Amino acid sequence: MDLSALNPEQREAVEHRGSPLLILAGAGSGKTRVITMRIAHLLATGAALPENILAVTFTNRAAMEMRERVASLVSEKSARALTVSTFHSCCAQILRKEIEVLGYSRKFTIYDASDQRTLLTRVFSEFSHGKETFDIGTFAYRISRSKNKGLDPDTYEPFYFDKYDDRISHVWKSYQEALKARDALDFDDLLLLTHQLLKNHPGVLEKLRKQFTQVLIDEYQDTNHLQFEIARLLCEKHRNLCVVGDDDQSIYGFRGAEVSNILEFEQRFPDARIITLSRNYRSTENILKAANAVINRNINRRQKELWSKLGEGQPIEMVTAEDENDEARFIALAIQRIKAEKKLSWSDFGVLYRSNIQSRPFEIIFRQNRIPYVVIGGMEFFDRKEVKDIASYLRVLSNPKDDISLRRIINVPRRGIGDTSLQRLNDAAVKNRRPLYDILKDSSSLNLPDATQAGIHQFLSLIDHTQKVIRQENLSRGVLALIHKSGYLEDLEQTSPSQAAFEMRKEITLEMVNTAEAYERETQSPSLWGFLQNASLDSDYKNNNKDKKFEQETVRLMTLHSAKGLEFPVVFLAGLEEGLLPHARSMSLDTDVLEERRLFYVGMTRARQQLFLTMTDMRTVRGRSKATTESRFIGEIPPEFIRYTETHLPEKKINE
């Protein structure tokens, strides 16, 4: 296999064998190329068979790209036999085969954040809490963070010793019992139960160790405690673990990511080899030297200095605008000017900011000036009401015990099962300790109104008919039959405010059929629960939808978190003010400010040729204009790499 195109450090990372390996891959250092070349090299040298390689990353998009790159280096058959997935998808696949020893069925439902909140709300309503008010999201957040540390209701560690901490063990325990009664897992359970499976069932662990003799983890700085423990258990005997990451790009602490996993790698694997990739193939020297100076302010980091052979480049432009509208006008004007001068495409420009709320003035000004744009990170396909409704029907078909999904669609479209009747059905389910679906089938004994009984019969007939179509034909035909027989489209037409709104909602609903067809085409043994699992775990549609956005000839507007892994010839980092970046929430804790600095560093290193930093003198927050203070991070850039500009543009369209 030809490795001549690799630099010496990249080549060493590809060829290393015999002990755990940490590849410290700085921004733009070609880490995806290295990890895919390493997989191909393992196959080419006979060090592993395709079915013995497990490669894990954090998005389906990254997994798909990794598989495609490997396929370009080896045979397509070998690439298909690899296990390349996200952590959560990998754990879901393991649990589908092995979960029965934990008391669940293999057809378990995966609850998303919305389902989790719905169930937590129901559970919490059963507790007495007087006149005190509580935010269900706080319970959900603390339970999630605790699960990712491998804790349970009995070992829970208080966050703030407040009213939530006083109640959370009881709420969590009831929530977990409610999940199990519904044969359901939340996202965090996928990791937690996989860890329990590996830790407490030696036979399962040994089987997986024999299956996965080479384990590779991308974006290792984003792993949490449980993910580290799962990797450690899998690799404890064979030691064939390769992790790739950069502690300077660890920006997901709020999700439970532990940068200590990368900082303490040698302590956990004393025989580990560390290889640093510091040559950057993306940015000019000025951008890299400025970014190095900023990130060097952080303590507790692995020392590395990015360097490049792409020339000195232009100085970084630091622009102070009057307010957020003036800032947006300046950026719009700069984009139009640079595009014309350098003959660039709209998609060569990225506008990055700390919080989603900052996109509004850019959207308004860009529309006024006919600059095509797309906001990355808006509402995704599987978050739409229409799609969640159809998905809930399918989840009930797959797992009748899933009464969260059942409650959502039992009267959608309306079929005479009102709130009072539903409450009587619920009460009967609780009293008899039976799933709600079973109560529906025996509802004749409850003396419900005739209209309700007719609605229940209609609903059960719809479920039976859809199951029959899926069984006799296929999944996509079943989804189409469900949509038509339920009267869902007719209901959309009656409830939509306009014909245009109806057409859009209809298109979104019918896209579920296309999504099912795509799943059937791309899957060897398609199944209803397999399709639902894809939908829950960052579905193919969602990835394709993002890809379409990236293919469009548009300026990209996105948060700094969304920009991770991307690059643009020209980048605008907007809103560089104290309270925005670093964010106000982070300023009370030094560790949080370190992560905000890493976020700024990630933003800077997205730029290939030109980087603009912008701030305002005044900014409107919650309807009030306030004077701003320059972000501390700007002062950390050496003056020789930066050029200061002020702009106070007139209130008019730029192209006038």
Side-chain angles (χ1 to χ4, degrees):
M1 183 175 180
D2 184 14
L3 302 179
S4 59
L6 302 178
N7 69 37
E9 293 78 20
Q10 290 176 331
R11 181 164 186 156
E12 186 182 359
V14 167
E15 293 182 325
H16 174 80
R17 303 285 189 273
S19 69
L21 172 65
L22 166 59
I23 303 172
L24 269 177
S29 63
K31 74 174 179 68
T32 306
R33 183 187 198 189
V34 169
I35 198 168
T36 52
M37 289 285 279
R38 181 174 170 84
I39 293 170
H41 195 256
L42 286 169
L43 296 173
T45 58
L49 295 171
E51 55 268 28
N52 297 137
I53 294 177
L54 169 62
V56 182
T57 186
F58 277 80
T59 67
N60 276 1
R61 194 163 183 258
M64 188 166 56
E65 181 187 353
M66 191 183 295
R67 190 188 296 276
E68 286 171 356
R69 287 210 192 186
V70 173
S72 71
L73 299 170
V74 300
S75 71
E76 193 173 322
K77 182 182 177 183
S78 292
R80 275 203 308 270
L82 298 167
T83 301
V84 184
S85 70
T86 65
F87 252 110
H88 287 86
S89 291
C90 174
C91 289
Q93 288 169 30
I94 291 170
L95 292 172
R96 287 289 177 204
K97 295 175 182 174
E98 309 289 351
I99 198 170
E100 287 174 341
V101 298
L102 300 178
Y104 294 80
S105 84
R106 293 185 182 186
K107 291 188 175 182
F108 62 82
T109 299
I110 300 170
Y111 277 7
D112 64 13
S114 172
D115 302 318
Q116 182 189 28
R117 281 175 176 247
T118 301
L119 185 56
L120 268 171
T121 301
R122 287 199 60 214
V123 165
F124 188 64
S125 68
E126 296 168 7
F127 288 84
S128 173
H129 43 84
K131 293 183 179 179
E132 280 194 284
T133 58
F134 291 83
D135 173 31
I136 291 299
T138 301
F139 283 116
Y141 175 76
R142 294 190 191 183
I143 289 171
S144 175
R145 289 294 298 270
S146 299
K147 283 186 177 184
N148 283 308
K149 291 179 180 177
L151 304 176
D152 59 35
D154 296 325
T155 57
Y156 174 76
E157 297 171 354
F159 278 60
Y160 303 114
F161 296 94
D162 56 7
K163 64 182 184 180
Y164 292 93
D165 284 336
D166 290 342
R167 293 163 174 80
I168 203 160
S169 288
H170 298 296
V171 173
W172 184 356
K173 195 170 286 186
S174 295
Y175 166 65
Q176 213 59 41
E177 289 169 356
L179 278 172
K180 194 160 189 177
R182 290 158 177 78
D183 203 20
L185 312 182
D186 63 26
F187 267 31
D188 303 306
D189 286 331
L190 295 174
L191 299 177
L192 188 65
L193 294 187
T194 300
H195 179 246
Q196 288 177 12
L197 194 64
L198 300 183
K199 188 178 177 184
N200 301 326
H201 296 271
V204 174
L205 176 59
E206 197 55 38
K207 182 163 51 171
L208 289 168
R209 281 176 174 170
K210 286 178 180 175
Q211 180 182 351
F212 299 126
T213 58
Q214 292 283 346
V215 178
L216 303 94
I217 303 175
D218 194 11
E219 304 289 3
Y220 188 65
Q221 75 279 348
D222 296 335
T223 54
N224 60 36
H225 173 75
L226 269 186
Q227 289 161 334
F228 162 75
E229 281 295 321
I230 290 167
R232 183 187 64 78
L233 285 166
L234 286 174
C235 302
E236 204 164 32
K237 278 191 178 178
H238 58 62
R239 319 292 288 168
N240 295 324
L241 173 65
C242 169
V243 303
V244 185
D246 180 9
D247 53 306
D248 289 336
Q249 297 185 72
S250 179
I251 57 173
Y252 291 109
F254 66 96
R255 289 186 189 167
E258 296 189 9
V259 70
S260 60
N261 287 348
I262 206 166
L263 296 176
E264 298 170 6
F265 193 74
E266 302 98 318
Q267 292 168 235
R268 291 159 179 184
F269 302 99
D271 56 336
R273 176 84 176 92
I274 315 296
I275 298 172
T276 302
L277 308 181
S278 55
R279 180 177 176 182
N280 177 285
Y281 292 87
R282 176 187 299 158
S283 308
T284 61
E285 281 289 322
N286 270 340
I287 292 169
L288 294 180
K289 286 176 179 176
N292 285 334
V294 170
I295 203 63
N296 278 331
R297 298 287 187 114
N298 268 8
I299 57 173
N300 298 328
R301 62 179 287 267
R302 289 183 177 271
Q303 189 61 37
K304 67 188 85 65
E305 292 282 325
L306 296 183
W307 61 278
S308 164
K309 289 185 177 180
L310 298 176
E312 185 177 289
Q314 300 178 58
I316 295 167
E317 296 270 358
M318 177 63 219
V319 179
T320 302
E322 194 170 275
D323 57 24
E324 63 269 25
N325 295 315
D326 188 34
E327 178 183 47
R329 282 193 295 274
F330 166 78
I331 289 176
L333 177 63
I335 288 172
Q336 290 177 324
R337 174 176 55 79
I338 296 168
K339 180 179 183 292
E341 288 174 357
K342 296 189 175 181
K343 295 182 169 52
L344 297 177
S345 301
W346 294 118
S347 56
D348 290 328
F349 297 89
V351 181
L352 316 181
Y353 36 78
R354 177 63 178 83
S355 302
N356 271 315
I357 56 169
Q358 290 171 256
S359 73
R360 184 189 56 80
F362 296 110
E363 294 190 63
I364 293 170
I365 299 296
F366 284 16
R367 281 179 187 171
Q368 287 175 356
N369 292 279
R370 297 179 182 176
I371 295 175
Y373 71 90
V374 62
V375 180
I376 305 296
M379 179 175 280
E380 296 290 359
F381 177 72
F382 277 92
D383 295 329
R384 299 294 303 242
K385 177 189 181 300
E386 299 82 10
V387 176
K388 287 184 80 73
D389 285 345
I390 302 304
S392 292
Y393 269 108
L394 298 177
R395 286 163 72 167
V396 171
L397 281 163
S398 175
N399 175 17
K401 291 182 183 177
D402 180 4
D403 66 355
I404 295 295
S405 296
L406 178 54
R407 284 171 214 277
R408 181 184 180 99
I409 45 81
I410 194 170
N411 201 39
V412 176
R414 293 187 180 278
R415 51 175 67 91
I417 308 173
D419 291 343
T420 303
S421 296
L422 184 55
Q423 188 59 53
R424 288 178 65 185
L425 291 162
N426 283 331
D427 291 344
V430 172
K431 182 180 177 181
N432 294 289
R433 296 178 178 273
R434 295 172 66 195
L436 179 58
Y437 191 82
D438 288 355
I439 299 298
L440 288 180
K441 292 196 289 188
D442 295 338
S443 61
S444 57
S445 62
L446 295 178
N447 295 320
L448 295 168
D450 290 345
T452 302
Q453 288 288 10
I456 291 171
H457 176 72
Q458 183 187 17
F459 175 76
L460 293 174
S461 296
L462 173 64
I463 297 296
D464 288 342
H465 175 74
T466 308
Q467 281 176 327
K468 185 177 179 181
V469 175
I470 292 174
R471 190 168 56 247
Q472 294 180 351
E473 298 184 46
N474 59 29
L475 174 61
S476 53
R477 292 280 183 91
V479 175
L480 185 61
L482 169 67
I483 291 169
H484 286 304
K485 188 172 174 62
S486 66
Y488 193 84
L489 295 181
E490 290 82 351
D491 186 64
L492 284 185
E493 189 167 23
Q494 290 173 11
T495 57
S496 295
S498 66
Q499 184 64 25
F502 164 62
E503 292 297 337
M504 184 185 75
R505 295 175 72 190
K506 177 183 176 182
E507 183 180 348
I508 289 165
T509 305
L510 291 174
E511 189 61 38
M512 275 293 274
V513 181
N514 297 336
T515 309
E517 286 176 345
Y519 164 76
E520 287 172 318
R521 278 197 309 273
E522 296 162 13
T523 308
Q524 286 185 340
S525 302
S527 64
L528 176 55
W529 60 259
F531 173 66
L532 292 169
Q533 179 168 299
N534 273 13
S536 297
L537 299 173
D538 197 359
S539 73
D540 287 341
Y541 181 94
K542 195 181 282 190
N543 288 323
N544 291 340
N545 200 29
K546 284 184 179 177
D547 287 341
K548 285 176 190 171
K549 287 184 178 181
F550 280 107
E551 287 164 7
Q552 290 170 1
E553 177 53 17
T554 54
V555 176
R556 275 54 162 167
L557 301 177
M558 65 180 78
T559 65
L560 286 161
H561 284 98
S562 296
K564 176 94 171 7
L566 303 177
E567 59 182 64
F568 304 94
V570 184
V571 166
F572 297 86
L573 268 178
L576 291 177
E577 300 142 27
E578 291 288 297
L580 277 179
L581 189 68
H583 197 280
R585 283 196 306 266
S586 73
M587 290 161 66
S588 59
L589 288 174
D590 288 343
T591 52
D592 289 346
V593 172
L594 299 182
E595 182 154 317
E596 292 290 297
R597 187 178 283 110
R598 292 195 289 266
L599 198 52
F600 181 50
Y601 171 82
V602 165
M604 294 178 76
T605 54
R606 299 311 93 197
R608 284 163 48 190
Q609 298 162 12
Q610 214 168 346
L611 175 61
F612 288 81
L613 310 177
T614 68
M615 65 166 290
T616 64
D617 288 328
M618 302 287 293
R619 187 173 293 274
T620 303
V621 181
R622 297 186 181 91
R624 296 178 62 187
S625 290
K626 294 182 179 179
T628 66
T629 304
E630 180 183 274
S631 169
R632 69 191 73 183
F633 301 145
I634 293 171
E636 296 171 0
I637 300 173
E640 61 265 30
F641 304 124
I642 199 163
R643 181 166 62 206
Y644 287 86
T645 309
E646 286 198 7
T647 174
H648 297 297
L649 298 171
E651 290 262 352
K652 64 179 181 178
K653 287 175 67 171
I654 294 161
N655 52 9
E656 286 180 350

